[in-house]
Amino acid sequence: MSSETAKPKVATIWLDGCSGCHMSLLDTDERLVDLVNAVDVIYSPIVDPKQFPEDVTVTLVEGAVSSEHDREMALIIRKNSKLVVSLGDCAVTGNVPAMRNAFKTTELLDRAYKENAAHNAKHPTVGLSPLIEKAQPLHAVIDVDLFLPGCPPPADAIFTLITDILAGRETQVTELTRFGR
Ligand code: SF4
């Protein structure tokens, strides 16, 4: 086996998130080079493969579980990942996506696609996975190994978490972040 194939395999994904947690990951700046040298990023919005791979060492999940597609992806992630990290407040608590939980999904769709539409006021029939009734934090759907709060978690916290995981250290990363920051 080559040293290249022996690298830990890392995946990142956003479900119902705003991409801000991924932006914070990119804010690790030049340390990204260290990370990329230490791991194989095999699935992520920044590498864009089409299917979630098998045998992933660690997957960072941004965003809440809000649709049938999100739920299917969460189950696949859990099945194929040794470690799953809830990345950011939306994954950890539901946060912004869960603000819609006071309303029925039909009310939301009516508001978005009918009441506020100047033309063609109707629900979309393609391209939108059905919403589940309540947006949920990731751990409500699958077992989660590590939680990293923050909106978004600071780049230092994300970098520390990843390097601690790679080193096999117990992480104290929550000292670097807090909910809503
Ligand atoms: S936790 Fe904040 S930054 Fe991350 S996806 Fe949710 S709203 Fe965006």
Side-chain angles (χ1 to χ4, degrees):
M1 185 182 291
S2 73
S3 59
E4 199 64 26
T5 56
K7 287 181 180 178
K9 297 174 186 172
V10 172
T12 80
I13 187 170
W14 69 62
L15 302 177
D16 192 1
C18 73
S19 82
C21 293
H22 275 74
M23 295 303 110
S24 195
L25 169 62
L26 296 181
D27 278 345
T28 51
D29 297 329
E30 70 275 7
R31 290 172 294 178
L32 272 177
V33 176
D34 298 332
L35 287 178
V36 167
N37 286 332
V39 304
D40 281 336
V41 181
I42 58 174
Y43 186 95
S44 174
I46 58 175
V47 294
D48 198 30
K50 300 305 174 207
Q51 292 207 318
F52 194 86
E54 298 181 348
D55 297 325
V56 182
T57 310
V58 56
T59 300
L60 308 179
V61 182
E62 169 189 323
V65 178
S66 291
S67 67
E68 294 294 346
H69 179 260
D70 292 341
R71 187 150 56 191
E72 286 167 19
M73 286 307 304
L75 295 174
I76 292 170
I77 289 163
R78 181 67 275 177
K79 182 160 94 49
N80 291 4
S81 308
K82 189 171 167 206
L83 282 177
V84 174
V85 177
S86 265
L87 178 68
D89 288 351
C90 293
V92 174
T93 71
N95 197 31
V96 176
M99 292 170 72
R100 59 102 160 162
N101 286 352
F103 304 94
K104 293 181 183 302
T105 55
T106 50
E107 293 175 309
L108 296 170
L109 293 171
D110 284 348
R111 184 71 176 159
Y113 293 104
K114 290 185 173 177
E115 295 165 23
N116 287 326
H119 305 285
N120 200 23
K122 63 180 182 181
H123 293 179
T125 54
V126 294
L128 185 68
S129 175
L131 295 176
I132 57 177
E133 200 54 40
K134 306 282 184 196
Q136 294 176 297
L138 185 63
H139 65 273
V141 179
I142 60 170
D143 288 338
V144 169
D145 300 294
L146 291 161
F147 297 84
L148 188 61
C151 183
D156 284 348
I158 298 173
F159 181 80
T160 300
L161 178 76
I162 295 172
T163 51
D164 283 349
I165 290 171
L166 295 178
R169 287 190 294 265
E170 186 174 345
T171 187
Q172 304 298 322
V173 72
T174 49
E175 293 173 3
L176 298 175
T177 185
R178 61 178 170 80
F179 288 104
R181 183 172 75 181

mmCIF file of all heavy atoms in Angstrom, residues 17-18 20-21 62 88-90 95-96 150-152, ligand 1:
data_model
loop_
_atom_site.group_PDB
_atom_site.id
_atom_site.type_symbol
_atom_site.label_atom_id
_atom_site.label_comp_id
_atom_site.label_asym_id
_atom_site.label_seq_id
_atom_site.Cartn_x
_atom_site.Cartn_y
_atom_site.Cartn_z
ATOM 1 N N GLY A 17 -27.669 23.871 5.355
ATOM 2 C CA GLY A 17 -26.786 24.884 5.928
ATOM 3 C C GLY A 17 -26.587 25.999 4.925
ATOM 4 O O GLY A 17 -27.027 25.903 3.777
ATOM 5 N N CYS A 18 -25.891 27.044 5.360
ATOM 6 C CA CYS A 18 -25.731 28.225 4.488
ATOM 7 C C CYS A 18 -24.375 28.247 3.809
ATOM 8 O O CYS A 18 -24.065 29.194 3.095
ATOM 9 C CB CYS A 18 -25.910 29.493 5.308
ATOM 10 S SG CYS A 18 -24.508 29.838 6.402
ATOM 11 N N GLY A 20 -21.691 28.620 5.450
ATOM 12 C CA GLY A 20 -20.800 29.414 6.293
ATOM 13 C C GLY A 20 -19.804 28.578 7.082
ATOM 14 O O GLY A 20 -18.665 29.012 7.322
ATOM 15 N N CYS A 21 -20.209 27.378 7.484
ATOM 16 C CA CYS A 21 -19.264 26.520 8.219
ATOM 17 C C CYS A 21 -18.132 26.081 7.291
ATOM 18 O O CYS A 21 -16.973 25.986 7.717
ATOM 19 C CB CYS A 21 -19.991 25.310 8.797
ATOM 20 S SG CYS A 21 -21.178 25.708 10.096
ATOM 21 N N GLU A 62 -22.094 19.815 7.949
ATOM 22 C CA GLU A 62 -22.708 21.131 8.196
ATOM 23 C C GLU A 62 -24.209 21.032 7.930
ATOM 24 O O GLU A 62 -24.633 20.364 6.992
ATOM 25 C CB GLU A 62 -22.095 22.177 7.254
ATOM 26 C CG GLU A 62 -22.844 23.511 7.254
ATOM 27 C CD GLU A 62 -22.365 24.471 6.174
ATOM 28 O OE1 GLU A 62 -21.163 24.526 5.883
ATOM 29 O OE2 GLU A 62 -23.244 25.164 5.616
ATOM 30 N N GLY A 88 -21.011 22.898 13.460
ATOM 31 C CA GLY A 88 -21.770 24.137 13.502
ATOM 32 C C GLY A 88 -23.147 23.983 14.131
ATOM 33 O O GLY A 88 -23.688 22.880 14.267
ATOM 34 N N ASP A 89 -23.717 25.123 14.509
ATOM 35 C CA ASP A 89 -24.958 25.116 15.289
ATOM 36 C C ASP A 89 -26.141 24.496 14.551
ATOM 37 O O ASP A 89 -27.031 23.922 15.184
ATOM 38 C CB ASP A 89 -25.323 26.545 15.700
ATOM 39 C CG ASP A 89 -24.404 27.101 16.783
ATOM 40 O OD1 ASP A 89 -23.592 26.324 17.328
ATOM 41 O OD2 ASP A 89 -24.506 28.303 17.071
ATOM 42 N N CYS A 90 -26.197 24.621 13.228
ATOM 43 C CA CYS A 90 -27.337 24.036 12.504
ATOM 44 C C CYS A 90 -27.314 22.517 12.621
ATOM 45 O O CYS A 90 -28.352 21.885 12.819
ATOM 46 C CB CYS A 90 -27.333 24.464 11.039
ATOM 47 S SG CYS A 90 -27.652 26.223 10.806
ATOM 48 N N ASN A 95 -30.765 25.065 14.849
ATOM 49 C CA ASN A 95 -30.421 26.485 14.632
ATOM 50 C C ASN A 95 -31.341 27.169 13.596
ATOM 51 O O ASN A 95 -32.552 27.088 13.707
ATOM 52 C CB ASN A 95 -28.942 26.585 14.228
ATOM 53 C CG ASN A 95 -28.344 27.971 14.370
ATOM 54 O OD1 ASN A 95 -28.741 28.729 15.238
ATOM 55 N ND2 ASN A 95 -27.388 28.300 13.512
ATOM 56 N N VAL A 96 -30.784 27.828 12.628
ATOM 57 C CA VAL A 96 -31.579 28.619 11.681
ATOM 58 C C VAL A 96 -32.605 27.766 10.921
ATOM 59 O O VAL A 96 -33.789 28.152 10.837
ATOM 60 C CB VAL A 96 -30.669 29.388 10.699
ATOM 61 C CG1 VAL A 96 -31.501 30.126 9.667
ATOM 62 C CG2 VAL A 96 -29.767 30.351 11.458
ATOM 63 N N GLY A 150 -21.013 26.560 17.152
ATOM 64 C CA GLY A 150 -20.560 27.828 16.593
ATOM 65 C C GLY A 150 -21.322 28.128 15.324
ATOM 66 O O GLY A 150 -21.752 27.222 14.623
ATOM 67 N N CYS A 151 -21.501 29.400 15.046
ATOM 68 C CA CYS A 151 -22.258 29.809 13.846
ATOM 69 C C CYS A 151 -21.526 30.934 13.130
ATOM 70 O O CYS A 151 -21.891 32.078 13.249
ATOM 71 C CB CYS A 151 -23.673 30.232 14.243
ATOM 72 S SG CYS A 151 -24.726 30.661 12.842
ATOM 73 N N PRO A 152 -20.494 30.543 12.370
ATOM 74 C CA PRO A 152 -19.931 29.203 12.252
ATOM 75 C C PRO A 152 -18.885 28.971 13.345
ATOM 76 O O PRO A 152 -18.439 29.921 13.988
ATOM 77 C CB PRO A 152 -19.229 29.245 10.886
ATOM 78 C CG PRO A 152 -18.748 30.667 10.801
ATOM 79 C CD PRO A 152 -19.806 31.501 11.475
HETATM 80 S S1 SF4 B 1 -24.120 27.083 11.808
HETATM 81 FE FE1 SF4 B 1 -24.266 29.188 11.043
HETATM 82 S S2 SF4 B 1 -22.636 29.326 9.499
HETATM 83 FE FE2 SF4 B 1 -23.017 27.114 9.854
HETATM 84 S S3 SF4 B 1 -24.568 26.531 8.324
HETATM 85 FE FE3 SF4 B 1 -25.680 27.127 10.159
HETATM 86 S S4 SF4 B 1 -26.173 29.321 9.847
HETATM 87 FE FE4 SF4 B 1 -24.543 28.779 8.403
#
